[in-house]
Amino acid sequence: MRSPAPLLRMGRRQLVLGALAMGALPVGVAQAFPSKNLRLVVPFAAGGVGDLTARIVAARLAEGLGRSVVIENRPGAGGVVAAETVARAEPDGHTLFLMSNGTAVTAGLFKSLPFDTVKDFAPVSTLGTFDIAVVAHPEAPFKTFAELLAWAKANPGKLNIGSINIGSTQHLAAELFKSSAGIDAQTVPFNGTPNLIGALRGRQVDVGVEILSPVLAQIRGGALRALAVAGEKRSTVLPDVPTAVESGVTGFVASSWNAIAAPAKTPRPVIDRLQREIAAAVADAEVQKKLRELNIDPRASTPEQAAALLASDIKRWGAVIERAGIPKQ
């Protein structure tokens, strides 16, 4: 009769190989992680809202992991440079990507990408969302969002809606506003928020669609007027400003978000460890305070929820790009 020892060894080997195939490694793998410092690749230049979000969360995440989390800013090509860097990194959890709704936009905006936006990444958790607002000069002929809609419909083709770069979330939100409201208007993209603010203050455009954070000081100082926010609920920093939905434009719901993702094939125990530490970081009172000061609604998620958000936004913004006839890059 054959000795049971080889059979037992063979069984253990098959179990390990099966676990590897499913991405489920022994608990010891997660316990050994991290074995070195981490890098968080950010697709934005230093100093912006996305970069600041990454730095705030990374500082607290480093405490939980017991390793430094180094921010690596790699702006360029609509986030493609940063995304490709992470997609090709070793899938061991030590290289992470600050994913955003911009990542979803590029999937529909580019003819081809050097990675698959869904298959080459393993979303770990969201970090938070931030509002998009419709703003105007205080002396514009409309003082409310409802008045803006009435003016646009009474003056077809005359309304100019400013945003930033073609293909940005703000630009696509402006296109979504037009189609949802059923108005005939022109979108005018500017190279960056400062140029958009200058055009609004100089009355070169009638309204602007921009993330709330970089224009909040202008609103509070009286240089611009907030007419509506495009979120599902009112902004906590501008509670008197209605949502677009409240004003009758039910389809105009848009917000920006950030999340952390790892390369695909990162072992699930490592993903779970990262998710727990990210959730703890986002729940930290000091982190929440700092994020809310940037007008970010802190919100962690499960990996599945983050993946579903990415897939949903790829479909959603892809439809906006097609409907607006924006040429693919």
Side-chain angles (χ1 to χ4, degrees):
M1 181 177 177
R2 191 175 179 182
S3 169
L7 294 175
L8 289 173
R9 285 195 296 271
M10 183 181 295
R12 284 195 293 269
R13 182 173 180 274
Q14 289 173 334
L15 284 172
V16 171
L17 290 174
L20 284 167
M22 294 185 293
L25 297 180
V27 175
V29 173
Q31 291 175 338
F33 172 83
S35 59
K36 57 184 179 181
N37 292 337
L38 285 72
R39 65 169 175 158
L40 175 54
V41 183
V42 175
F44 311 112
V49 176
D51 172 71
L52 293 174
T53 300
R55 292 178 187 277
I56 291 167
V57 174
R60 177 61 179 78
L61 178 61
E63 294 178 13
L65 291 173
R67 294 281 184 173
S68 296
V69 180
V70 180
I71 302 297
E72 183 177 316
N73 297 96
R74 293 182 70 87
V80 173
V81 174
E84 183 180 9
T85 299
V86 178
R88 294 183 176 181
E90 185 71 23
D92 58 7
H94 292 94
T95 300
L96 305 173
F97 177 45
L98 184 73
M99 185 174 276
S100 72
N101 49 295
T103 311
V105 169
T106 59
L109 191 62
F110 285 78
K111 294 178 182 177
S112 64
L113 291 169
F115 53 82
D116 187 298
T117 307
V118 173
K119 295 180 181 179
D120 288 341
F121 297 97
V124 180
S125 172
T126 57
L127 303 181
T129 61
F130 32 106
D131 293 317
I132 291 174
V134 178
V135 296
H137 192 280
E139 296 179 8
F142 30 77
K143 305 301 181 186
T144 67
F145 193 64
E147 290 179 5
L148 164 62
L149 294 174
W151 190 93
K153 290 178 180 180
N155 298 274
K158 292 185 179 180
L159 183 71
N160 292 319
I161 306 174
S163 71
I164 65 168
N165 312 350
I166 293 175
S168 66
T169 299
Q170 296 92 316
H171 177 233
L172 296 184
E175 293 291 347
L176 180 62
F177 168 39
K178 286 166 48 179
S179 60
S180 299
I183 57 175
D184 180 7
Q186 302 296 321
T187 50
V188 184
F190 290 87
N191 184 21
T193 302
N195 291 330
L196 171 60
I197 291 174
L200 284 164
R201 296 187 64 170
R203 313 231 8 217
Q204 294 169 297
V205 290
D206 301 304
V207 295
V209 176
E210 177 57 291
I211 292 171
L212 181 56
S213 297
V215 295
L216 187 58
Q218 300 286 327
I219 295 168
R220 286 175 168 167
L224 296 177
R225 180 195 301 273
L227 303 179
V229 292
E232 295 179 347
K233 59 183 180 180
R234 294 193 179 197
S235 169
T236 56
V237 296
L238 295 175
D240 294 332
V241 178
T243 66
V245 172
E246 286 179 279
S247 300
V249 186
T250 56
F252 185 33
V253 179
S255 61
S256 193
W257 53 267
N258 282 325
I260 288 181
K265 299 183 181 179
T266 299
R268 182 64 194 225
V270 173
I271 295 291
D272 289 342
R273 172 78 192 283
L274 284 167
Q275 192 279 333
R276 288 194 300 271
E277 297 298 347
I278 291 169
V282 172
D284 181 83
E286 186 61 24
V287 169
Q288 292 221 348
K289 178 177 179 292
K290 291 179 178 179
L291 291 179
R292 292 190 189 282
E293 287 173 351
L294 294 172
N295 190 40
I296 296 170
D297 182 14
R299 190 180 304 176
S301 73
T302 65
E304 290 75 20
Q305 289 169 332
L309 176 60
L310 174 64
S312 173
D313 266 15
I314 288 173
K315 181 178 180 180
R316 183 182 186 210
W317 294 121
V320 173
I321 291 167
E322 291 292 333
R323 187 165 56 243
I326 299 172
K328 294 196 175 185
Q329 301 177 26

mmCIF file of all heavy atoms in Angstrom, residues 273-293:
data_model
loop_
_atom_site.group_PDB
_atom_site.id
_atom_site.type_symbol
_atom_site.label_atom_id
_atom_site.label_comp_id
_atom_site.label_asym_id
_atom_site.label_seq_id
_atom_site.Cartn_x
_atom_site.Cartn_y
_atom_site.Cartn_z
ATOM 1 N N ARG A 273 -5.830 44.053 3.789
ATOM 2 C CA ARG A 273 -5.054 44.796 4.803
ATOM 3 C C ARG A 273 -5.019 46.277 4.451
ATOM 4 O O ARG A 273 -5.211 47.140 5.314
ATOM 5 C CB ARG A 273 -3.633 44.225 4.882
ATOM 6 C CG ARG A 273 -2.666 45.051 5.762
ATOM 7 C CD ARG A 273 -2.896 44.790 7.239
ATOM 8 N NE ARG A 273 -2.202 45.767 8.073
ATOM 9 C CZ ARG A 273 -0.895 45.765 8.345
ATOM 10 N NH1 ARG A 273 -0.109 44.821 7.840
ATOM 11 N NH2 ARG A 273 -0.375 46.684 9.142
ATOM 12 N N LEU A 274 -4.769 46.570 3.191
ATOM 13 C CA LEU A 274 -4.745 47.962 2.755
ATOM 14 C C LEU A 274 -6.099 48.624 2.976
ATOM 15 O O LEU A 274 -6.179 49.755 3.450
ATOM 16 C CB LEU A 274 -4.367 48.043 1.273
ATOM 17 C CG LEU A 274 -2.892 47.839 0.925
ATOM 18 C CD1 LEU A 274 -2.725 47.621 -0.577
ATOM 19 C CD2 LEU A 274 -2.065 49.042 1.379
ATOM 20 N N GLN A 275 -7.170 47.898 2.646
ATOM 21 C CA GLN A 275 -8.508 48.476 2.803
ATOM 22 C C GLN A 275 -8.805 48.802 4.261
ATOM 23 O O GLN A 275 -9.356 49.868 4.562
ATOM 24 C CB GLN A 275 -9.561 47.499 2.249
ATOM 25 C CG GLN A 275 -10.949 48.099 2.094
ATOM 26 C CD GLN A 275 -11.744 48.145 3.392
ATOM 27 O OE1 GLN A 275 -11.523 47.324 4.291
ATOM 28 N NE2 GLN A 275 -12.676 49.098 3.501
ATOM 29 N N ARG A 276 -8.424 47.911 5.148
ATOM 30 C CA ARG A 276 -8.662 48.164 6.587
ATOM 31 C C ARG A 276 -7.910 49.399 7.054
ATOM 32 O O ARG A 276 -8.452 50.234 7.791
ATOM 33 C CB ARG A 276 -8.248 46.946 7.416
ATOM 34 C CG ARG A 276 -9.167 45.741 7.286
ATOM 35 C CD ARG A 276 -8.904 44.710 8.361
ATOM 36 N NE ARG A 276 -7.539 44.187 8.330
ATOM 37 C CZ ARG A 276 -7.157 43.137 7.619
ATOM 38 N NH1 ARG A 276 -8.039 42.511 6.829
ATOM 39 N NH2 ARG A 276 -5.910 42.706 7.638
ATOM 40 N N GLU A 277 -6.662 49.530 6.628
ATOM 41 C CA GLU A 277 -5.848 50.671 7.064
ATOM 42 C C GLU A 277 -6.325 51.977 6.421
ATOM 43 O O GLU A 277 -6.303 53.034 7.062
ATOM 44 C CB GLU A 277 -4.377 50.419 6.737
ATOM 45 C CG GLU A 277 -3.767 49.220 7.456
ATOM 46 C CD GLU A 277 -3.752 49.359 8.970
ATOM 47 O OE1 GLU A 277 -3.987 50.472 9.490
ATOM 48 O OE2 GLU A 277 -3.508 48.340 9.651
ATOM 49 N N ILE A 278 -6.758 51.907 5.165
ATOM 50 C CA ILE A 278 -7.275 53.107 4.503
ATOM 51 C C ILE A 278 -8.571 53.545 5.171
ATOM 52 O O ILE A 278 -8.783 54.740 5.434
ATOM 53 C CB ILE A 278 -7.489 52.864 3.001
ATOM 54 C CG1 ILE A 278 -6.140 52.700 2.294
ATOM 55 C CG2 ILE A 278 -8.278 54.007 2.357
ATOM 56 C CD1 ILE A 278 -6.242 52.190 0.872
ATOM 57 N N ALA A 279 -9.443 52.589 5.461
ATOM 58 C CA ALA A 279 -10.707 52.916 6.132
ATOM 59 C C ALA A 279 -10.449 53.551 7.494
ATOM 60 O O ALA A 279 -11.119 54.515 7.886
ATOM 61 C CB ALA A 279 -11.565 51.660 6.279
ATOM 62 N N ALA A 280 -9.461 53.024 8.218
ATOM 63 C CA ALA A 280 -9.114 53.594 9.522
ATOM 64 C C ALA A 280 -8.565 55.007 9.369
ATOM 65 O O ALA A 280 -8.859 55.895 10.176
ATOM 66 C CB ALA A 280 -8.097 52.695 10.227
ATOM 67 N N ALA A 281 -7.770 55.209 8.313
ATOM 68 C CA ALA A 281 -7.209 56.543 8.068
ATOM 69 C C ALA A 281 -8.305 57.546 7.739
ATOM 70 O O ALA A 281 -8.329 58.660 8.272
ATOM 71 C CB ALA A 281 -6.195 56.478 6.916
ATOM 72 N N VAL A 282 -9.234 57.160 6.871
ATOM 73 C CA VAL A 282 -10.321 58.061 6.473
ATOM 74 C C VAL A 282 -11.251 58.358 7.657
ATOM 75 O O VAL A 282 -11.827 59.444 7.734
ATOM 76 C CB VAL A 282 -11.105 57.458 5.288
ATOM 77 C CG1 VAL A 282 -12.353 58.272 4.976
ATOM 78 C CG2 VAL A 282 -10.213 57.382 4.052
ATOM 79 N N ALA A 283 -11.371 57.398 8.573
ATOM 80 C CA ALA A 283 -12.239 57.586 9.740
ATOM 81 C C ALA A 283 -11.582 58.409 10.842
ATOM 82 O O ALA A 283 -12.259 58.855 11.773
ATOM 83 C CB ALA A 283 -12.663 56.225 10.298
ATOM 84 N N ASP A 284 -10.277 58.639 10.737
ATOM 85 C CA ASP A 284 -9.553 59.400 11.756
ATOM 86 C C ASP A 284 -10.084 60.834 11.835
ATOM 87 O O ASP A 284 -10.284 61.489 10.810
ATOM 88 C CB ASP A 284 -8.057 59.409 11.410
ATOM 89 C CG ASP A 284 -7.235 60.163 12.419
ATOM 90 O OD1 ASP A 284 -6.893 59.580 13.457
ATOM 91 O OD2 ASP A 284 -6.938 61.354 12.159
ATOM 92 N N ALA A 285 -10.310 61.320 13.038
ATOM 93 C CA ALA A 285 -10.929 62.638 13.235
ATOM 94 C C ALA A 285 -10.099 63.757 12.607
ATOM 95 O O ALA A 285 -10.647 64.675 11.978
ATOM 96 C CB ALA A 285 -11.136 62.905 14.725
ATOM 97 N N GLU A 286 -8.778 63.704 12.757
ATOM 98 C CA GLU A 286 -7.930 64.758 12.209
ATOM 99 C C GLU A 286 -7.920 64.717 10.684
ATOM 100 O O GLU A 286 -7.932 65.762 10.020
ATOM 101 C CB GLU A 286 -6.506 64.614 12.750
ATOM 102 C CG GLU A 286 -5.567 65.751 12.368
ATOM 103 C CD GLU A 286 -6.007 67.122 12.886
ATOM 104 O OE1 GLU A 286 -6.756 67.169 13.884
ATOM 105 O OE2 GLU A 286 -5.609 68.132 12.272
ATOM 106 N N VAL A 287 -7.903 63.508 10.116
ATOM 107 C CA VAL A 287 -7.957 63.362 8.665
ATOM 108 C C VAL A 287 -9.276 63.906 8.132
ATOM 109 O O VAL A 287 -9.317 64.636 7.137
ATOM 110 C CB VAL A 287 -7.780 61.882 8.252
ATOM 111 C CG1 VAL A 287 -8.111 61.681 6.772
ATOM 112 C CG2 VAL A 287 -6.356 61.414 8.532
ATOM 113 N N GLN A 288 -10.363 63.575 8.821
ATOM 114 C CA GLN A 288 -11.676 64.067 8.389
ATOM 115 C C GLN A 288 -11.731 65.590 8.434
ATOM 116 O O GLN A 288 -12.269 66.226 7.520
ATOM 117 C CB GLN A 288 -12.776 63.472 9.269
ATOM 118 C CG GLN A 288 -12.954 61.981 9.090
ATOM 119 C CD GLN A 288 -14.411 61.563 9.079
ATOM 120 O OE1 GLN A 288 -15.301 62.329 9.414
ATOM 121 N NE2 GLN A 288 -14.659 60.332 8.663
ATOM 122 N N LYS A 289 -11.165 66.161 9.480
ATOM 123 C CA LYS A 289 -11.154 67.622 9.607
ATOM 124 C C LYS A 289 -10.415 68.260 8.438
ATOM 125 O O LYS A 289 -10.893 69.222 7.820
ATOM 126 C CB LYS A 289 -10.511 68.022 10.930
ATOM 127 C CG LYS A 289 -10.390 69.527 11.163
ATOM 128 C CD LYS A 289 -9.805 69.808 12.542
ATOM 129 C CE LYS A 289 -9.647 71.306 12.778
ATOM 130 N NZ LYS A 289 -8.606 71.900 11.922
ATOM 131 N N LYS A 290 -9.244 67.724 8.115
ATOM 132 C CA LYS A 290 -8.435 68.287 7.027
ATOM 133 C C LYS A 290 -9.115 68.109 5.669
ATOM 134 O O LYS A 290 -9.075 69.007 4.820
ATOM 135 C CB LYS A 290 -7.050 67.629 7.015
ATOM 136 C CG LYS A 290 -6.181 68.017 8.204
ATOM 137 C CD LYS A 290 -4.840 67.313 8.155
ATOM 138 C CE LYS A 290 -3.952 67.735 9.322
ATOM 139 N NZ LYS A 290 -2.650 67.033 9.305
ATOM 140 N N LEU A 291 -9.742 66.958 5.457
ATOM 141 C CA LEU A 291 -10.416 66.728 4.181
ATOM 142 C C LEU A 291 -11.636 67.636 4.038
ATOM 143 O O LEU A 291 -11.890 68.186 2.968
ATOM 144 C CB LEU A 291 -10.831 65.258 4.050
ATOM 145 C CG LEU A 291 -9.690 64.251 3.893
ATOM 146 C CD1 LEU A 291 -10.238 62.837 3.792
ATOM 147 C CD2 LEU A 291 -8.840 64.562 2.660
ATOM 148 N N ARG A 292 -12.376 67.804 5.109
ATOM 149 C CA ARG A 292 -13.565 68.669 5.048
ATOM 150 C C ARG A 292 -13.172 70.127 4.809
ATOM 151 O O ARG A 292 -13.932 70.882 4.199
ATOM 152 C CB ARG A 292 -14.395 68.524 6.315
ATOM 153 C CG ARG A 292 -15.056 67.155 6.437
ATOM 154 C CD ARG A 292 -16.072 67.086 7.560
ATOM 155 N NE ARG A 292 -16.529 65.723 7.784
ATOM 156 C CZ ARG A 292 -17.419 65.092 7.024
ATOM 157 N NH1 ARG A 292 -17.945 65.715 5.980
ATOM 158 N NH2 ARG A 292 -17.778 63.845 7.300
ATOM 159 N N GLU A 293 -11.993 70.523 5.281
ATOM 160 C CA GLU A 293 -11.510 71.881 5.005
ATOM 161 C C GLU A 293 -11.252 72.083 3.516
ATOM 162 O O GLU A 293 -11.264 73.218 3.022
ATOM 163 C CB GLU A 293 -10.232 72.153 5.815
ATOM 164 C CG GLU A 293 -10.492 72.359 7.302
ATOM 165 C CD GLU A 293 -9.209 72.468 8.106
ATOM 166 O OE1 GLU A 293 -8.118 72.220 7.532
ATOM 167 O OE2 GLU A 293 -9.291 72.771 9.314
#
